[in-house]
């Protein structure tokens, strides 16, 4: 059966409506980006222009790394909740009784976490860039706007969000309770962030080739990881509570 | 299992409301289950279950906790794969490949409504209409809400509704796809009598619309009132048939006789009467007569009592309820297990 966008969108739309009315989700989605907007701003204004080149780059790198924490962390709790949360609140079985396929269900959930995450991440980055241009010292602003920084942010934001959602949903399909799923998925969302952090800190130089290779690797994992996650989605186990 | 209750009987059974049960499309039953078994490791959920249900029939599925009722529903709803056996659901063979197509043609209302409490009634139904890939969503939602008398609560958050109203929303959700077979798993569980009666009225309404209903319940009076036929499951299927047939099958027909004072010699009064096969004391001045045909035997019994100058208070045919049938079949086993 080919995937139905009607079913996928029905699931995503339900999720988005549910997020909007869930105080925990609204607070998570508002407070975390706020923290990760304020913290890099402080970094930005604390940078001493006359500092050593390595210290200068490290400060810039740290400020930009905060930006990439948003797409890695924000969707992890949403995606961790996606399956086990529905199971806990007793809404999973009615959904599984409909003709929706495993991939449609999971993709609908993923899309609902992906869209606001990417929108928030880009918005925060836009604010950061504007603040840098307007308020930071010209040398600092110039350092942020030059090189691969902006491209790294633009490319890796959706890829990191994709990874975080993928592992979050995978953990959610296998977890027995929401709390465990959320803790594990926050941890599991971090490894690619370390790699991107190394680039951002200029630990190794992010040539176009390396950046593209990393991006492609994440893209491949995000794309084909879904098959593995869909295979883990066992209706019988989810409905019977793991007796199958 | 009752040997006469499968196959041909389905087509000939009169509905409780007097409506004829239709054999459905090209004579095929709505549900046909053959030797279905489900095991979870060493534990048997249900075993060797076979039955058929005609289109338009209301079929009650009774049994104690852990009897395998919900697991059977989940199996027929393609959520769980059977260990062995086969089934046809809404004209399609039960298999993983047919899962989405079967789920498109059936609905299951689980014991817990499972609504999204932060969404309104309308938003819940809109979501499920989308999951079924249905067109004309607004009209379908309107029709489903109208069927359960909830149109005026469409904009209310489900979290603000009472348990009875949530159950009605779940029923509306189950009607969205106009199912050929509707599975209701304990639809009145935890409801107060008024809310339970409302659900009964909705089920009666659906029966009148020709929906095939598979009703699992603990409430025996509910099954007796609503169902054309019932099956009693306790891991294996113990009996299947119309409630009155089950009563006849399990219980000898009897007349209960009550007199003002105990008879001096009841044996002399009741022995040898035409149609009376035996008698016993059933209390002070009360006697139970085993008869082949209560209507034929009653006049002779009355005459014998008058001849014996007994002050007769009442002569009545014993009424066995579905509860008596259930307790006879299941109660003994449960008592034995507890010992």
């Amino acid at each position: 059966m080919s995937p139905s966008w009607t079913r996928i969108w029905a699931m995503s739309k339900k999720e988005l409506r549910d997020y909007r009315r869930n105080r925990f989700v609204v607070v998570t989605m508002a407070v975390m980006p706020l923290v990760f907007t304020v913290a890099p701003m402080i970094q930005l204004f604390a940078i001493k222009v006359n500092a050593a080149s390595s210290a200068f780059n490290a400060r810039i790198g740290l400020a930009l790394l905060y930006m990439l924490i948003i797409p890695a962390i924000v969707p992890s709790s949403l995606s961790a909740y996606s399956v086990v949360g529905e199971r806990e609140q007793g809404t999973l079985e009615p959904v599984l009784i409909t003709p929706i396929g495993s991939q449609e269900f999971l993709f609908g959930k993923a899309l609902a976490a992906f869209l606001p995450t990417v929108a928030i991440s880009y918005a925060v980055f836009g604010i950061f860039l504007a603040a840098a241009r307007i308020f930071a010292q010209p040398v600092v602003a110039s350092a942020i706007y030059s090189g691969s920084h902006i491209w790294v942010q633009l490319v890796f934001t959706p890829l990191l969000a994709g990874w975080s959602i993928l592992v979050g949903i995978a953990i959610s399909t296998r977890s027995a309770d929401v709390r465990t799923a959320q803790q594990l998925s926050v941890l599991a969302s971090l490894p690619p962030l370390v790699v991107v952090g190394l680039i951002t800190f200029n630990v190794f130089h992010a040539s176009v080739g390396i950046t593209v290779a990393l991006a492609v690797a994440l893209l491949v994992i995000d794309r084909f990881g879904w098959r593995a996650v869909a295979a883990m989605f066992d209706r019988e186990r989810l409905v019977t509570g793991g007796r199958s | 299992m009752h040997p006469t209750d499968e196959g041909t009987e389905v087509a000939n059974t009169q509905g409780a409301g007097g409506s004829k049960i239709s054999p459905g499309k090209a004579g095929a039953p709505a549900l046909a289950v053959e030797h279905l078994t489900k095991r979870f490791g060493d534990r048997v959920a249900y075993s060797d279950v076979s039955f058929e249900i005609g289109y338009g029939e209301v079929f009650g599925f009774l049994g104690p906790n852990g009897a395998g009722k919900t697991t059977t529903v989940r199996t027929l709803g393609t959520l769980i794969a059977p260990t062995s056996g086969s089934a046809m659901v809404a004209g399609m063979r039960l298999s993983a490949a047919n899962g989405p197509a079967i789920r498109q043609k059936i609905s299951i209302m689980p014991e817990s409504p499972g609504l999204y409490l932060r969404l309104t009634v309308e938003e819940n139904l809109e979501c499920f209409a989308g999951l079924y890939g249905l067109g004309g969503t607004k009209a379908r939602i309107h029709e489903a809400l109208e069927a359960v008398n909830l149109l005026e609560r469409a904009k209310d958050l489900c979290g603000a509704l009472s348990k009875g109203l949530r159950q009605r929303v779940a029923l509306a959700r189950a009607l969205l796809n106009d199912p050929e077979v509707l599975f209701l798993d304990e639809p009145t569980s935890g409801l107060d009598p008024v809310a339970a009666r409302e659900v009964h009225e909705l089920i009666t309404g659906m029966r009148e619309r020709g929906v095939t209903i598979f009703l699992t319940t603990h409430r025996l009076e509910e099954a007796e009132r609503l169902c054309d036929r019932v099956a009693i499951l306790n891991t294996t299927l113990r009996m299947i048939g119309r409630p009155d047939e089950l009563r006849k099958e399990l219980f000898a027909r009897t007349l209960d006789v009550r007199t003002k004072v105990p008879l001096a010699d009841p044996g002399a009064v009741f022995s040898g009467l035409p149609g009376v096969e035996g008698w016993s004391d059933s209390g002070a001045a009360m006697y139970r007569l085993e008869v082949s045909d209560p209507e034929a035997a009653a006049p002779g019994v009355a005459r014998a009592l008058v001849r014996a100058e007994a002050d007769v208070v009442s002569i009545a045919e014993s009424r066995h309820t579905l509860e008596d049938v259930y307790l006879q079949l299941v109660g003994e086993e449960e008592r034995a297990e507890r010992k």
Side-chain angles (χ1 to χ4, degrees):
Chain A
M1 195 176 70
S2 58
S4 153
W5 279 101
T6 307
R7 282 195 277 270
I8 291 168
W9 182 238
M11 182 47 61
S12 294
K13 197 172 167 185
K14 186 280 294 178
E15 288 286 283
L16 291 169
R17 277 176 166 157
D18 207 28
Y19 293 163
R20 233 174 40 216
R21 291 173 196 158
N22 185 335
R23 200 176 301 161
F24 169 75
V25 172
V26 170
V27 168
T28 305
M29 286 217 156
V31 169
M32 283 186 67
L34 192 68
V35 168
F36 291 114
T37 310
V38 172
M41 298 285 191
I42 294 168
Q43 287 291 331
L44 205 66
F45 301 130
I47 293 172
K48 291 191 173 75
V49 181
N50 56 358
S53 169
S54 60
F56 183 82
N57 283 337
R59 286 282 189 161
I60 297 277
L62 187 60
L64 290 166
L65 186 62
Y66 278 121
M67 299 284 110
L68 286 174
I69 292 175
I70 297 171
I73 302 293
V74 166
S76 64
S77 58
L78 298 180
S79 51
Y81 184 83
S82 60
V83 180
V84 71
E86 289 243 16
R87 192 168 128 185
E88 275 192 3
Q89 67 182 15
T91 51
L92 186 61
E93 188 170 350
V95 170
L96 297 184
I97 287 161
T98 71
I100 194 166
S102 303
Q103 292 202 29
E104 291 167 337
F105 174 82
L106 296 171
F107 195 67
K109 291 272 183 186
L111 197 61
F114 184 81
L115 293 177
T117 299
V118 171
I120 288 169
S121 302
Y122 281 156
V124 167
F125 188 52
I127 292 167
F128 174 81
L129 287 178
R133 175 67 78 197
I134 298 165
F135 302 112
Q137 297 184 51
V139 182
V140 175
S142 167
I144 288 169
Y145 277 86
S146 67
S148 59
H149 292 314
I150 291 179
W151 284 111
V152 167
Q153 294 286 335
L154 292 178
V155 170
F156 280 90
T157 290
L159 293 174
L160 284 172
W163 164 269
S164 181
I165 292 165
L166 180 77
V167 293
I169 290 181
I171 288 166
S172 191
T173 60
R174 306 298 296 185
S175 291
D177 65 273
V178 172
R179 192 174 296 178
T180 310
Q182 286 179 332
Q183 287 170 348
L184 287 175
S185 60
V186 168
L187 281 176
S189 65
L190 296 177
L193 196 61
V194 173
V195 178
V196 178
L198 293 176
I199 297 174
T200 313
F201 282 113
N202 281 331
V203 172
F204 61 87
H205 180 63
S207 67
V208 174
I210 289 175
T211 309
V212 168
L214 278 171
V216 168
L218 260 180
L219 190 66
V220 168
I221 291 170
D222 284 356
R223 170 68 185 81
F224 293 101
W226 284 106
R227 290 191 182 179
V229 178
M232 290 161 72
F233 190 84
D234 179 351
R235 282 172 192 253
E236 181 163 333
R237 187 184 55 76
L238 288 167
V239 166
T240 59
R243 282 180 296 175
S244 67
Chain B
M1 198 174 78
H2 196 292
T4 62
D5 289 326
E6 285 191 78
T8 53
E9 189 223 289
V10 172
N12 299 322
T13 306
Q14 288 285 334
S19 59
K20 194 98 170 167
I21 291 167
S22 158
K25 293 146 190 177
L31 276 173
V33 175
E34 284 182 34
H35 306 295
L36 214 58
T37 296
K38 178 64 185 176
R39 288 193 189 86
F40 295 105
D42 293 337
R43 191 178 74 76
V44 178
Y46 59 82
S47 176
D48 199 26
V49 172
S50 300
F51 58 82
E52 281 190 5
I53 303 175
Y55 277 97
E57 188 175 2
V58 179
F59 187 81
F61 209 49
L62 314 177
N65 292 329
K69 303 187 300 292
T70 298
T71 308
T72 306
V73 169
R74 286 171 170 169
T75 306
L76 296 175
T78 76
L79 291 176
I80 290 176
T83 307
S84 62
S86 63
M88 296 287 285
V89 181
M92 282 176 285
R93 184 156 290 284
L94 185 69
S95 67
N98 284 339
I102 289 174
R103 293 197 295 274
Q104 188 75 47
K105 293 172 86 171
I106 64 167
S107 270
I108 302 178
M109 183 177 135
E111 185 176 347
S112 163
L115 301 170
Y116 295 108
L117 301 182
R118 282 185 285 267
L119 268 57
T120 66
V121 170
E122 196 173 41
E123 287 167 348
N124 265 278
L125 298 188
E126 191 186 317
C127 168
F128 279 83
L131 296 180
Y132 278 104
L134 301 172
T137 306
K138 287 216 180 294
R140 279 182 186 269
I141 292 172
H142 186 275
E143 198 181 323
L145 287 175
E146 198 170 39
V148 300
N149 302 319
L150 264 184
L151 268 176
E152 71 283 5
R153 309 298 295 267
K155 304 288 182 194
D156 289 9
L157 289 178
C158 284
L161 300 179
S162 67
K163 194 169 181 185
L165 290 180
R166 287 182 196 177
Q167 207 76 345
R168 280 210 251 168
V169 178
L171 207 48
R173 181 183 65 197
L175 293 175
L176 274 176
N177 63 328
D178 201 11
E180 287 185 19
V181 184
L182 174 58
F183 294 88
L184 302 174
D185 193 3
E186 307 278 358
T188 55
S189 171
L191 296 187
D192 63 49
V194 175
R197 175 172 288 185
E198 285 176 358
V199 172
H200 291 167
E201 285 166 5
L202 294 171
I203 293 171
T204 306
M206 282 184 283
R207 172 228 287 281
E208 283 162 7
R209 290 167 57 181
V211 180
T212 306
I213 297 173
F214 187 99
L215 172 73
T216 76
T217 181
H218 276 116
R219 296 192 178 190
L220 301 169
E221 80 288 353
E222 179 174 276
E224 182 134 43
R225 192 204 295 185
L226 298 172
C227 299
D228 300 310
R229 288 191 307 146
V230 296
I232 297 175
L233 180 80
N234 198 4
T235 308
T236 56
L237 209 55
R238 298 305 156 95
M239 260 197 145
I240 183 168
R242 281 160 40 182
D244 58 333
E245 288 176 339
L246 300 188
R247 280 193 288 269
K248 277 185 203 166
E249 182 79 12
L250 274 183
F251 298 103
R253 303 187 81 183
T254 55
L255 280 176
D256 285 330
V257 174
R258 196 169 154 220
T259 55
K260 199 168 179 184
V261 292
L263 296 171
D265 186 2
V269 177
F270 299 129
S271 297
L273 288 177
V276 176
E277 292 159 0
W279 69 275
S280 60
D281 280 315
S282 58
M286 291 168 76
Y287 308 92
R288 175 156 287 177
L289 313 185
E290 284 178 30
V291 294
S292 49
D293 181 350
E295 277 187 27
V301 171
R303 281 193 294 272
L305 287 164
V306 170
R307 275 200 303 275
E309 297 182 343
D311 295 326
V312 180
V313 176
S314 64
I315 302 173
E317 184 182 353
S318 308
R319 278 288 298 166
H320 291 288
T321 62
L322 188 55
E323 187 169 350
D324 295 324
V325 174
Y326 180 89
L327 290 173
Q328 179 82 4
L329 280 170
V330 175
E332 288 294 327
E333 292 169 20
E334 290 204 320
R335 277 192 289 275
E337 277 174 18
R338 284 189 195 120
K339 278 179 187 170

